[in-house]
Amino acid sequence: EKQALINLQKTIAQEWNNIETCFLHNEFYYFICPQKARSANRMDFLFEIAKNRYNECNRTTFDVFYDELKTNEGKRLIDRILSVWNDIVKCFNRLQKAYYDYDAYHLIGYCNTQKKINISNILSNYCLDKNNIQQLKDEVKRKIKSDINYVGLYKEDGNIGDEKNGNKTYEDLDYNQDKDEIKRILLLHNLQAYSSSNIRFPFDKYNDGREYDIEHIHAKANDKADKKSRIEWLKTNFLDLKEYESFFEKKDNKEDKNEAVKLFKAFLNEVNKEQDEKKRAELFEKLLKCDCDKEYCRLVDNDDTFKELVNISYSYKEGDDEVDDSLRNLCLLDRTTNRSYGNSLFITKRKIILNKCKNKDFNQLPLFLCSERIFLKYYSDLDKDNNLNFWSESNRQDYLNDIKDNIKRFLE
């Protein structure tokens, strides 16, 4: 029996190493383990689940397994050890099966990013063979539906919201008042997109949402920026503002001539005198940074003039100057990308996003699938809308419809 114990010890050591290696992969660990349960020894989570097989949830993990090995005195020690270890391996195999099921992966991962959702009992029942993989997914979906219904966005019959009961609809969500709810909805929308594409969402990079912000697609203007920031805004958007030349020309022909339009045209004419691209860039900064008496310097020196230019630029082809804080104009972006383009125009943001997609750096936080699709106009019919430079009213509605339809489909 001594040699048999030595052989079993070697077998367990090898299997332990294989399981631990899997838990050391962040993609696996962050999907399966909620933040509050994470520890330096990642195997702890597996033992916490496995001990539930013995109906000893309230006792320490060590005490449960120690007592289990001491009981059943009629059995040989090697049989007791093998029985306990096999129970642990079965739990791991069940977790691994959920990892390889894309829907289960994303549903479980979502719950583990939300502090208010606890699926430990559901996961334990699944690991203990009380439920199959489909039953696991159905129970987790009910948890998510209940969570979304908490803010009035999803009901068991599939309807969205209920105005009669004072609940909000997707259309009612507002950036300034409902950031938590919006972040949950945008995350779910992304998870559905990843799952349907058979790609795993990077829960380890998402880090429970700490590294990602809600960002406006069609920008919010910051007319209170200092002169340096204003020059940087003009520099970032200048080439794209040139796309607006015909629009500015049209504006200037109206009876109610806009001062910012006239000044920008004057500045544009001055810069365009230089044919060399490199010298033109140098001239651009020189014209605005110096304290000159040229009228166009008021574009960055005067608060009202800068605000007018920004508002005109942002409202081009939109029909109004009001900021859109609704869900249809919001997406999730990592903080680095968010800071890199700030309140740029849609066309400028699109160039930055597409450049990041083409030059992916795996050391940086990734762009999520739905954020990429927004700037590709994925959600709209390009036969009807082939202008990629603006986030139009129809684009927003198409995007919102996709959010509603696919979250509903994901949770059915």
Side-chain angles (χ1 to χ4, degrees), residues 222-338:
N222 183 8
D223 52 277
K224 296 181 180 179
D226 56 25
K227 182 173 180 177
K228 182 180 178 181
S229 300
R230 293 176 183 182
I231 292 175
E232 189 61 33
W233 183 90
L234 270 171
K235 184 180 178 182
T236 302
N237 293 290
F238 179 68
L239 291 177
D240 301 320
L241 282 167
K242 288 184 68 178
E243 303 273 347
Y244 290 62
E245 275 190 83
S246 60
F247 170 69
F248 287 136
E249 183 70 38
K250 187 176 178 181
K251 274 264 185 182
D252 201 29
N253 287 333
K254 289 185 176 181
E255 292 183 5
D256 55 335
K257 291 185 178 182
N258 186 289
E259 183 180 26
V261 173
K262 291 188 290 183
L263 293 178
F264 180 76
K265 282 186 63 183
F267 175 68
L268 195 63
N269 291 334
E270 192 72 26
V271 173
N272 285 339
K273 289 178 183 178
E274 179 56 65
Q275 299 300 315
D276 184 88
E277 286 291 334
K278 187 175 180 181
K279 291 182 179 179
R280 187 183 296 172
E282 294 173 357
L283 178 63
F284 176 92
E285 296 210 23
K286 182 180 177 182
L287 290 173
L288 289 176
K289 282 186 176 179
C290 67
D291 295 323
C292 63
D293 56 358
K294 298 287 187 182
E295 280 195 325
Y296 51 69
C297 284
R298 288 163 59 195
L299 287 171
V300 293
D301 288 333
N302 184 279
D303 291 351
D304 293 335
T305 305
F306 179 75
K307 181 178 179 180
E308 284 179 8
L309 178 66
V310 169
N311 284 342
I312 291 168
S313 303
Y314 286 155
S315 64
Y316 179 48
K317 289 205 170 185
E318 303 300 337
D320 60 70
D321 293 336
E322 293 184 9
V323 174
D324 187 351
D325 284 327
S326 66
L327 179 62
R328 65 188 193 146
N329 190 42
L330 300 170
C331 67
L332 283 179
L333 272 184
D334 64 279
R335 291 176 180 176
T336 302
T337 305
N338 198 353

Side-chain angles (χ1 to χ4, degrees), residues 41-64:
N41 184 358
R42 297 188 175 189
M43 288 286 282
D44 286 348
F45 182 71
L46 177 61
F47 284 95
E48 280 292 320
I49 293 178
K51 78 175 185 180
N52 294 329
R53 179 178 291 272
Y54 310 107
N55 299 316
E56 297 283 1
C57 301
N58 297 323
R59 299 178 64 206
T60 66
T61 305
F62 175 82
D63 287 340
V64 170

Side-chain angles (χ1 to χ4, degrees), residues 131-299:
N131 290 331
N132 59 35
I133 189 75
Q134 187 57 52
Q135 290 170 320
L136 167 72
K137 289 189 284 188
D138 290 342
E139 289 196 25
V140 173
K141 285 178 182 179
R142 280 194 286 272
K143 278 278 189 179
I144 297 174
K145 289 177 185 178
S146 177
D147 179 60
I148 299 178
N149 187 46
Y150 175 71
V151 292
L153 292 177
Y154 196 103
K155 298 175 17 175
E156 287 294 336
D157 60 6
N159 291 324
I160 306 299
D162 187 351
E163 294 179 353
K164 292 181 180 179
N165 294 331
N167 291 331
K168 291 186 176 182
T169 65
Y170 279 116
E171 287 81 0
D172 295 327
L173 290 175
D174 181 85
Y175 173 80
N176 298 301
Q177 300 175 20
D178 308 301
K179 286 185 180 179
D180 288 342
E181 291 82 357
I182 288 172
K183 201 165 190 177
R184 278 185 273 176
I185 295 301
L186 293 176
L187 176 58
L188 269 175
H189 186 224
N190 272 280
L191 297 184
Q192 186 280 329
Y194 276 83
S195 186
S196 62
S197 303
N198 290 341
I199 306 171
R200 289 189 185 86
F201 180 86
F203 287 107
D204 54 323
K205 299 291 194 302
Y206 183 68
N207 197 15
D208 300 317
R210 286 189 290 273
E211 303 297 335
Y212 285 80
D213 294 324
I214 302 169
E215 172 60 18
H216 287 78
I217 301 168
H218 177 73
K220 291 182 71 173
N222 183 8
D223 52 277
K224 296 181 180 179
D226 56 25
K227 182 173 180 177
K228 182 180 178 181
S229 300
R230 293 176 183 182
I231 292 175
E232 189 61 33
W233 183 90
L234 270 171
K235 184 180 178 182
T236 302
N237 293 290
F238 179 68
L239 291 177
D240 301 320
L241 282 167
K242 288 184 68 178
E243 303 273 347
Y244 290 62
E245 275 190 83
S246 60
F247 170 69
F248 287 136
E249 183 70 38
K250 187 176 178 181
K251 274 264 185 182
D252 201 29
N253 287 333
K254 289 185 176 181
E255 292 183 5
D256 55 335
K257 291 185 178 182
N258 186 289
E259 183 180 26
V261 173
K262 291 188 290 183
L263 293 178
F264 180 76
K265 282 186 63 183
F267 175 68
L268 195 63
N269 291 334
E270 192 72 26
V271 173
N272 285 339
K273 289 178 183 178
E274 179 56 65
Q275 299 300 315
D276 184 88
E277 286 291 334
K278 187 175 180 181
K279 291 182 179 179
R280 187 183 296 172
E282 294 173 357
L283 178 63
F284 176 92
E285 296 210 23
K286 182 180 177 182
L287 290 173
L288 289 176
K289 282 186 176 179
C290 67
D291 295 323
C292 63
D293 56 358
K294 298 287 187 182
E295 280 195 325
Y296 51 69
C297 284
R298 288 163 59 195
L299 287 171

